[in-house]
Amino acid sequence: MELSQLLERLEYEVVQGSVRTEITTLINDSRKVEKGSAFVCISGAVSDGHKFAGEVVQKGAAALIVEKDVEAPEEVTVIRVKDTRYALALMSASYFSYPADKLKVIGITGTKGKTTTTYMIRSILEDVGHKVGLIGTIEAIIGEKKIPAANTTPESYTIHKYFAEMVEAGCDSVVMEVSSQGLMLHRTAGIPFEIGIFTNLGHDHIGPNEHKDFEDYKRCKGLLFQQCRLGIANIDDPYFKEVFQGAACKVETFGLSEQADLRAENTHLVSRPGYLGVAYHVTGRMDFDVEIDIPGTFSVYNSLTAIAVCAHFGVPAEVIQKALKAAKVKGRIEMVKVSDEFTLMIDYAHNAMSLESLLTTLKEYHPSRLVCLFGCGGNRSKDRRYEMGEVSGRLADLSIITSDNPRFEEPQAIIDDIKIGIGKTSGRYVEICDRKEAIRYAIANGRPGDVIVLAGKGHEDYQEIKGVKYPMDERVLIAEVLEELASN
């Protein structure tokens, strides 16, 4: 295709060469450049693509898309744009023949709840005959194919590649998690979202390689609602109005508030051995009862979000009820049956905020004991270890401190840091460095009425040690422990 076709929705300056240049591939990874490629120079946090201009020209790149000055032979076309990340997004859309225009794209942003909600929406829509793609924290789903995720929101080229594959696979819709990083880095620029969803906003993702402050985090969340047709928002979140202050879409709301367009009433917890759930009545735009096999008030919000979206697809109430009852997400309050006397679950809670939310939710069910097994990742902020230790020590009746992904640190050193946080509380704890042995201890010492949560790993099926990812799935470990306990 001609370079001009890739640039058709962009403002640009031709520094040298011609936009009539024929292009074979669109690339932003210098290692993948081939003869005839258009190479987009991305200024990243770790490396700057402009530094590889000479290298990619030697490999045969026909065009360079830049935002800074570069030197290139006169036979190479150089195009200057204001922002190469934004350019990559719009060029990728053109490169794959605008696949988003052939799908109903549903984007979900917020600090918590994105993953669970995407799976709920997909489950409901598929039950009424839609073929729905998914892009999220755990994986991308395209027809029968599942691709493990590296980022919550992939690079724009990958998004449009997935969209194109979804269209090819017969999908009519896609539901995707839209992270604040993805919005800030223009990964979703130019996508015509049919529906944008705001779940909630918490103080997270603030740091050197993420958002400079909470105001920037909040601003980036709001960008989604400048490029969608309909915005659906959690009216109960204190930052709802600020996130939507620049919205260019129609807005509908959900929540527990009387002002919500779709709201939950008569919410109550459901509990029995090995099972925790929540039930409520939907009123406002729809009218029916709901019970979900996922505990906590946040499950009410997640399911209300899914109901609000599916109402716009004309899904009958009885289909929504059935699909919500069956919706499960790997590693998100995933209950694993190990006993008729106590409840065990796996959850991805891997920072203080998510762990506090989880444990606070579980305490509402008044377990005989709340047992929290967790560790912390290596080569990450020590503050996270202190904070998670303090949260578990304060809220759990027993903490079992173990290893997570130690990376290049010694597991015991990480455990010692966690103990500093627990030491600020009066919480009881044991430390068992080997995660399988820690799980064995939790199960072997489970008591009637206990709720045991294995936190931190969630959907992950590996343990990262000194740069190597070794297979380790907690579901497999649980099965092995149960078999070994039975044989003994």
Side-chain angles (χ1 to χ4, degrees):
M1 65 171 61
E2 269 193 8
L3 180 59
S4 61
Q5 187 178 337
L6 294 180
L7 297 169
E8 63 186 0
R9 294 188 180 180
L10 278 168
E11 292 184 7
Y12 59 89
E13 173 194 355
V14 181
V15 177
Q16 67 180 49
S18 168
V19 293
R20 304 302 298 270
T21 301
E22 282 294 321
I23 296 300
T24 55
T25 57
L26 177 66
I27 300 291
N28 67 299
D29 184 338
S30 61
R31 296 166 296 184
K32 298 178 181 178
V33 167
E34 57 188 54
K35 185 173 177 58
S37 293
F39 178 68
V40 184
C41 301
I42 301 293
S43 301
V46 178
S47 64
D48 186 344
H50 295 80
K51 294 180 179 179
F52 299 100
E55 177 187 320
V56 300
V57 165
Q58 287 182 352
K59 288 182 176 181
L64 301 174
I65 315 301
V66 304
E67 61 187 27
K68 304 174 184 177
D69 292 334
V70 297
E71 291 186 9
E74 61 182 17
E75 67 271 15
V76 176
T77 296
V78 179
I79 303 294
R80 187 168 186 132
V81 296
K82 183 178 180 182
D83 188 310
T84 50
R85 284 193 180 278
Y86 182 79
L88 177 64
L90 272 61
M91 292 174 75
S92 296
S94 175
Y95 184 73
F96 289 104
S97 302
Y98 301 104
D101 293 351
K102 301 158 192 165
L103 298 162
K104 286 193 173 181
V105 185
I106 303 161
I108 304 177
T109 196
T111 305
K112 295 181 292 185
K114 296 188 296 295
T115 301
T116 301
T117 305
T118 55
Y119 282 87
M120 283 182 170
I121 292 171
R122 181 174 182 270
S123 174
I124 295 169
L125 293 181
E126 292 236 316
D127 269 13
V128 291
H130 290 279
K131 192 163 185 181
V132 186
L134 183 147
I135 300 174
T137 301
I138 298 175
E139 62 195 350
I141 303 176
I142 305 169
E144 300 302 314
K145 183 167 68 172
K146 295 187 177 183
I147 307 162
N151 297 307
T152 295
T153 306
E155 189 53 84
S156 56
Y157 178 91
T158 304
I159 292 174
H160 289 283
K161 179 174 180 288
Y162 287 168
F163 283 173
E165 291 179 16
M166 289 172 188
V167 171
E168 184 69 23
C171 293
D172 58 58
S173 314
V174 55
V175 57
M176 65 181 292
E177 296 183 47
V178 182
S179 68
S180 54
Q181 282 284 97
L183 289 160
M184 179 175 72
L185 298 175
H186 302 304
R187 290 175 186 163
T188 57
I191 295 174
F193 287 95
E194 179 75 10
I195 300 176
I197 297 159
F198 169 65
T199 61
N200 51 62
L201 196 66
H203 288 261
D204 198 11
H205 303 292
I206 313 298
N209 295 323
E210 295 186 278
H211 297 281
K212 61 182 180 180
D213 54 33
F214 186 65
E215 287 304 310
D216 184 60
Y217 182 42
K218 193 192 310 174
R219 178 189 65 81
C220 287
K221 289 293 186 191
L223 294 175
L224 176 61
F225 306 102
Q226 296 173 20
Q227 64 180 99
C228 65
R229 187 187 64 79
L230 171 66
I232 297 178
N234 175 2
I235 196 173
D236 298 336
D237 189 88
Y239 302 107
F240 153 59
K241 289 184 178 177
E242 292 173 68
V243 169
F244 274 77
Q245 63 184 358
C249 59
K250 178 185 175 185
V251 180
E252 292 179 3
T253 59
F254 64 90
L256 307 184
S257 165
E258 283 289 330
Q259 283 71 49
D261 297 315
L262 186 80
R263 58 190 181 276
E265 293 181 341
N266 304 323
T267 301
H268 56 281
L269 306 179
V270 182
S271 175
R272 50 186 177 270
Y275 176 91
L276 302 176
V278 66
Y280 63 92
H281 182 77
V282 181
T283 189
R285 292 177 61 86
M286 299 191 82
D287 185 14
F288 57 90
D289 292 322
V290 172
E291 183 175 330
I292 318 161
D293 296 0
I294 308 172
T297 303
F298 59 83
S299 295
V300 175
Y301 283 104
N302 292 344
S303 54
L304 275 176
T305 310
I307 294 167
V309 170
C310 293
H312 283 276
F313 283 78
V315 182
E318 58 271 19
V319 174
I320 294 177
Q321 288 171 307
K322 180 183 173 185
L324 285 176
K325 189 81 173 137
K328 300 286 186 294
V329 184
K330 184 178 182 182
R332 298 302 198 275
I333 312 193
E334 177 187 350
M335 280 179 258
V336 181
K337 182 72 171 178
V338 299
S339 169
D340 291 328
E341 295 190 322
F342 59 84
T343 304
L344 182 139
M345 65 184 66
I346 296 170
D347 192 82
Y348 188 50
H350 61 290
N351 58 36
M353 185 174 72
S354 56
L355 188 64
E356 177 147 16
S357 174
L358 173 65
L359 297 182
T360 301
T361 291
L362 296 177
K363 282 183 78 70
E364 292 174 356
Y365 287 82
H366 304 293
S368 298
R369 290 188 312 168
L370 179 55
V371 179
C372 180
L373 181 152
F374 74 104
C376 288
N379 302 104
R380 297 292 187 268
S381 169
K382 287 196 173 190
D383 287 343
R384 177 175 288 192
R385 303 169 193 177
Y386 306 147
E387 291 166 359
M388 287 185 71
E390 188 170 350
V391 165
S392 187
R394 175 164 47 83
L395 294 174
D397 297 293
L398 174 66
S399 298
I400 303 174
I401 315 171
T402 187
S403 184
D404 194 291
N405 290 320
R407 298 187 177 90
F408 290 93
E409 288 193 68
E410 288 301 318
Q412 188 58 50
I414 299 172
I415 288 172
D416 290 342
D417 285 337
I418 294 171
K419 284 158 59 180
I420 292 172
I422 287 190
K424 296 179 181 179
T425 74
S426 57
R428 293 180 55 243
Y429 71 89
V430 295
E431 55 180 292
I432 304 171
C433 195
D434 183 278
R435 197 163 185 109
K436 180 178 177 180
E437 291 307 311
I439 292 172
R440 184 193 309 277
Y441 179 88
I443 293 174
N445 291 279
R447 301 176 187 172
D450 280 357
V451 172
I452 302 170
V453 58
L454 314 184
K457 296 297 291 176
H459 60 277
E460 293 180 353
D461 57 4
Y462 63 86
Q463 187 171 44
E464 188 177 345
I465 303 171
K466 300 194 185 305
V468 179
K469 289 184 176 180
Y470 296 93
M472 191 193 77
D473 187 321
E474 289 191 317
R475 296 147 202 82
V476 174
L477 297 184
I478 290 167
E480 290 175 353
V481 165
L482 290 174
E483 187 177 333
E484 290 162 10
L485 289 174
S487 65
N488 291 335

